[in-house]
Amino acid sequence: MKIYSGGFTAEHLYRNEVKIVSNLQLRGLSKLDIKKQVFDENLFHCRSEAAIKDLFPRVYKRSEKLDDRLREILLSGSRSNTNAILLYAFLKGFRFPHDFVLEVVHYNLKRYKNFISDGNVHTFFEEKGQQYDEVRNWTEKTKNKLKQVTLKILVDAELLVKKEKEFEIKPIPLSKELTEYVERHSQYKDMILLTLND
C-alpha cells in the first residue's frame, strides 16, 4: 500500500475558498447544494467551469476535515488561527508534507535550529526515496514541483518565512480558545504539534 502520494502538485492554501464552503456548511447546506451555489454564482471567481470543477472537490475535502466549531473559528478568528486551521486541513489530507513538517520543520525547531535550508529539504526527499518506492519513482520534475508547493503553502500559512536562501521557522500562535478546543478533542490534537506549539 502506498504511504505517499505526489498528487498535491496543484494545491494551494485556499484561504477564501475554504472559508466560503465552511460558511455554507455552517448554514446547513448539503454538499450538493453547496456545489450548486459555488457553480451558479462562481463563488470561487474561476475563469471557467472546468476550473471550478477541478477546484471544488479539493476545497470540499479540506473543509470536511473540520467540525462546525473549527469552521466558526476559521471564519471569525484571527489571521493566525485561520492560518493554523487551513494548514491543518491541508496537512491532514497529504501525508508527505505532513511528515515534512514533523520530520524537518518541527525536528529542527526542537533542536534550536530556527531555519531550514534547501539541503534539509533535499535530504528529506532523498531519505523518503530510499524508504519508499513511490517516492523513488517520482520524476525530478515532480519532486521539484512538490518542493515548491510544500514550501509555498508553509510560507502562505506563515509557518515559514523566506529569508534569502533559507526559510525561518515561525510557530503559528493559537488563541487560548482554539488551543483549549483542540486539546479537548483528541482528533484535532495534532494541530498543536503541526503549528509548532508543543
Side-chain angles (χ1 to χ4, degrees):
M1 188 192 124
K2 277 191 178 182
I3 288 188
Y4 292 125
S5 155
F8 59 96
T9 52
E11 295 291 330
H12 296 274
L13 202 58
Y14 300 136
R15 192 178 295 278
N16 293 329
E17 294 85 351
V18 176
K19 282 184 171 183
I20 287 164
V21 170
S22 293
N23 186 36
L24 294 172
Q25 286 171 316
L26 284 171
R27 285 168 40 195
L29 272 69
S30 68
K31 182 178 180 179
L32 210 62
D33 289 339
I34 293 171
K35 188 175 183 179
K36 186 176 183 334
Q37 198 165 331
V38 167
F39 273 78
D40 290 351
E41 299 173 31
N42 191 13
L43 296 180
F44 293 170
H45 303 292
C46 292
R47 289 183 183 169
S48 67
E49 198 165 286
I52 308 177
K53 203 174 272 187
D54 176 56
L55 190 53
F56 182 79
R58 297 175 205 232
V59 172
Y60 197 86
K61 196 173 155 194
R62 299 262 182 103
S63 63
E64 278 192 309
K65 303 263 184 284
L66 313 173
D67 66 7
D68 281 351
R69 185 68 196 115
L70 288 180
R71 290 178 189 131
E72 285 167 2
I73 296 171
L74 174 72
L75 292 170
S76 65
S78 64
R79 183 173 175 86
S80 56
N81 276 351
T82 299
N83 283 339
I85 292 168
L86 290 172
L87 180 63
Y88 170 82
F90 165 68
L91 294 175
K92 292 305 280 185
F94 298 99
R95 179 76 185 271
F96 197 79
H98 174 278
D99 288 357
F100 177 80
V101 168
L102 291 183
E103 295 172 30
V104 179
V105 183
H106 185 273
Y107 179 87
N108 274 16
L109 190 67
K110 290 300 159 199
R111 275 144 197 83
Y112 305 103
K113 293 179 187 168
N114 292 338
F115 288 87
I116 62 164
S117 64
D118 282 344
N120 296 142
V121 180
H122 182 74
T123 301
F124 178 76
F125 273 77
E126 287 293 303
E127 286 174 353
K128 294 299 175 189
Q130 288 164 12
Q131 293 170 309
Y132 302 100
D133 289 342
E134 60 266 29
V135 178
R136 193 175 340 173
N137 293 331
W138 290 344
T139 63
E140 279 309 308
K141 190 180 172 190
T142 298
K143 284 182 195 171
N144 286 332
K145 186 65 184 160
L146 296 178
K147 284 176 196 174
Q148 282 173 4
V149 169
T150 299
L151 292 169
K152 184 178 184 326
I153 287 175
L154 299 184
V155 167
D156 288 349
E158 296 168 15
L159 190 77
L160 297 179
V161 178
K162 183 90 171 93
K163 297 273 171 107
E164 291 175 19
K165 291 190 172 184
E166 292 186 312
F167 291 88
E168 187 179 357
I169 301 168
K170 294 268 189 187
I172 301 174
L174 306 181
S175 68
K176 187 166 180 273
E177 174 195 28
L178 180 54
T179 304
E180 287 174 354
Y181 186 77
V182 299
E183 281 177 342
R184 281 200 314 273
H185 296 81
S186 58
Q187 72 269 38
Y188 300 122
K189 221 171 180 177
D190 55 346
M191 191 186 294
I192 306 251
L193 199 62
L194 293 168
T195 55
L196 312 178
N197 284 285
D198 58 321

